[in-house]
Amino acid sequence: MNILHDFDYYAPKTKGEALELTKSLGSSAKVLAGGTDLIIMMKEKMIKPEAIIDISGLEELKGIVCKDGQGAEIGACTTISEIEFSKDLAKKYSALTYAAGELGSNQVRVMATLGGNCCHSSPAAETPTPLSALGAKVVISGLEGERELPMEDFIQGNRKNDLQLGEIVSKFVLPEPAPKSACRYGYIGLRNAMEIDAVNMAVNITLEDDGAKIKDVKLVMGSVSPRPLVSELVPGLLKGTELTEELIVKAGEAAQSEAKPISDVRASAEYRKDVVGALARRLVKEAYEAAKEA
C-alpha cells in the first residue's frame, strides 16, 4: 500500500528558519515546496527521509516581479499555475509561460512550484529548458549567503543538482530580453494528454539591428541528455547569417548530432533523434520570424 512512513515535520515561519533547519538536519531531511514529486517518491518508497521541511508557506519565496528594462524575478515557491497565467511574464517570456501550461494537469500545476520542478532535476522537466534558453540564473541561499548559477549548470544530471547541504533555491532571475529577440518552446510526447515529454526544446534568437542577420542563438534540448543540453554547433552555424531553408535543415542536423538520448518506455533513442531534428527546424524558424516582428 502507498502509505507514508513516519517522519518529523517542520513548517518554518521564515526563510532564515528554513535555512537553519536544512543546515542542522542535513541529508536526513527533504524540503517540500509543492510536493507533487516528493510525495509520490515517498509513497513509492523510493526515498524515506527522516524529516520534511515544508517551505510552501514562506511568502518571501513566492511571487513574480517584472520591471521594465530590468528582467524578472520569480520566487522558488511560485506555483507553475501562477507562472502559466502571469500576463507580465507572457509579455516577455512567453516560452516559459507556455511550457508551464504544458506541465502535468491543472491539479498538479496549482501545487507544483518552479523551484521544485527544477530541483527535482528530471531530464524531461518542462521549465529548465526555456529557463536556460532565456538566460535565467538560479539563486541559491544558505546561511553563509547567496550564490547564482546558470540554469544549465545548476542541474548536474538525472535527479542531481548543485544544491549543497544547508542550501535551498530561493528565486530565479531572468534577464531583460534583448531587442529584436524571441524565444520559442516546443515538445513531443506520445499522446495529446498528461505525460512526460519524449523530447522538449527551446530556441532563443536575437537579430542584428538590420532585423535580418542572426546576432545570437541559444538552442537547449531536454530529455536527450541527463541535464539540459545547450547546443554548441547551432550557434556556430547560424550566427551572422540570414536564415534560409537550407540553414534550417542544417540546424536540425546539427542538433541531432549533439543529442545523446536513451531508449525507455516513452520513446526509443532513434525516435528521439528524429524528434530533435523536427523540433529544431520548427522552433528555429518560429523564433527567427518572431524576432523579426519584435
Side-chain angles (χ1 to χ4, degrees), residues 2 9 22 33 40 52 76 99 106 117 155 166 200 234 244 251 256 267 271 279:
N2 290 332
Y9 174 82
T22 55
I40 290 173
I52 293 295
N106 183 61
N117 191 239
I155 295 177
N200 63 46
V234 172
T244 63
Q256 282 180 305
Y271 176 76
L279 277 178

Side-chain angles (χ1 to χ4, degrees), residues 17-273:
E17 186 181 344
L19 292 174
E20 291 280 0
L21 284 167
T22 55
K23 185 74 171 181
S24 62
L25 295 174
S27 59
S28 67
K30 289 292 185 181
V31 174
L32 182 149
T36 54
D37 288 315
L38 177 63
I39 299 302
I40 290 173
M41 294 177 72
M42 291 170 64
K43 284 183 176 180
E44 297 294 332
K45 314 302 181 188
M46 297 171 67
I47 56 172
K48 291 186 177 181
E50 296 174 19
I52 293 295
I53 304 169
D54 186 351
I55 62 171
S56 63
L58 298 182
E59 293 299 324
E60 56 194 307
L61 297 182
K62 300 179 182 180
I64 299 167
V65 178
C66 291
K67 295 182 179 179
D68 290 339
Q70 299 181 44
E73 291 187 358
I74 306 174
C77 287
T78 304
T79 67
I80 297 299
S81 182
E82 290 173 307
I83 294 167
E84 175 188 3
F85 292 111
S86 170
K87 293 181 180 179
D88 289 336
L89 286 178
K91 291 176 183 177
K92 295 183 180 182
Y93 312 105
S94 60
L96 177 60
T97 56
Y98 172 63
E102 297 302 303
L103 189 157
S105 66
N106 183 61
Q107 293 93 327
V108 168
R109 294 192 294 273
V110 298
M111 292 182 63
T113 64
L114 185 61
N117 191 239
C118 293
C119 287
H120 185 59
S121 303
S122 165
E126 290 84 355
T127 61
T129 313
L131 284 170
S132 175
L134 289 163
K137 297 289 182 66
V138 182
V139 179
I140 300 168
S141 297
L143 291 176
E144 293 77 22
E146 293 186 341
R147 60 191 181 96
E148 292 186 359
L149 282 175
M151 184 69 246
E152 59 268 24
D153 292 341
F154 172 70
I155 295 177
Q156 301 289 300
N158 184 15
R159 295 177 183 169
K160 297 178 182 178
N161 56 55
D162 197 62
L163 274 179
Q164 306 300 312
L165 288 179
E167 292 182 328
I168 62 173
V169 171
S170 55
K171 62 183 176 181
F172 298 82
V173 179
L174 286 79
E176 182 74 9
K180 299 186 184 301
S181 71
C183 185
R184 291 295 181 266
Y185 171 85
Y187 69 98
I188 295 292
L190 299 184
R191 58 195 176 100
N192 293 322
M194 291 182 297
E195 62 174 352
I196 299 174
D197 297 343
V199 176
N200 63 46
M201 182 183 295
V203 177
N204 194 1
I205 288 180
T206 302
L207 302 181
E208 297 282 3
D209 292 339
D210 62 8
K213 289 193 176 85
I214 295 175
K215 181 178 181 179
D216 199 12
V217 57
K218 188 172 185 180
L219 184 150
V220 187
M221 296 169 265
S223 204
V224 296
S225 172
R227 59 195 292 188
L229 181 60
V230 181
S231 173
E232 295 181 359
L233 296 179
V234 172
L237 182 68
L238 298 183
K239 287 171 69 171
T241 70
E242 293 187 25
L243 194 65
T244 63
E245 290 299 325
E246 181 181 0
L247 283 173
I248 290 172
V249 171
K250 288 183 177 179
E253 293 170 346
Q256 282 180 305
S257 72
E258 294 174 289
K260 306 297 180 186
I262 62 170
S263 295
D264 60 18
V265 295
R266 293 190 298 279
S268 67
E270 292 77 12
Y271 176 76
R272 283 189 164 101
K273 280 266 193 179

